[in-house]
Amino acid sequence: MIILQQNNVPNAFQRNRFTAHMSDSCGNVFVYGTLMSSMVFGALISRTPKCFPGLLYGFRRHAIEGRPYPGITEDDNSSVSGLLVTGLSGEELDVLDFFEDEEYERRKVQVHNAAFVSMGMQMKSRYYRHRAAAADV
């Protein structure tokens, strides 16, 4: 993980390297570890975005050897609780990509929330998958 300082914000080349595969404008991210902290978000993007409790079916949270933060991996018999962070701009998503570094990749997912489920809805979102953990499981 990288602690961002004002001069560590990724330049356009770095941002394109991380986000070229994210062609649609979904500004939602499902978080399940360090990024659940409003203090961490505030330090990264200088504001606290709107968040809702979320549940990700078909995944499980697990420890990553030698790391103080978790990863998640696909598991049809499990679910992961976390937060659905909404309304993020493209620049804010770029900052989160830079924070997560190349150790994680942002992937598409459907997140469930009690209020959304009662209306028969799911929210399109992204989550960060730990690359090494996904390969090891």
Side-chain angles (χ1 to χ4, degrees), residues 13-26:
F13 173 77
Q14 292 167 316
R15 286 194 304 261
N16 290 339
R17 183 170 57 102
F18 285 112
T19 60
H21 64 288
M22 307 305 285
S23 58
D24 66 304
S25 60
C26 178

Side-chain angles (χ1 to χ4, degrees), residues 29-81:
V29 174
F30 177 78
V31 297
Y32 54 88
T34 308
L35 289 174
M36 290 179 67
S37 166
S38 61
M39 291 177 63
V40 171
F41 252 99
L44 290 172
I45 65 171
S46 302
R47 71 180 184 95
T48 303
K50 192 175 253 188
C51 300
F52 301 93
L55 191 60
L56 190 56
Y57 292 111
F59 289 83
R60 68 177 167 80
R61 180 184 284 116
H62 58 85
I64 298 173
E65 188 175 336
R67 303 283 194 231
Y69 44 84
I72 60 175
T73 193
E74 293 181 24
D75 181 342
D76 291 338
N77 299 316
S78 299
S79 61
V80 175
S81 60

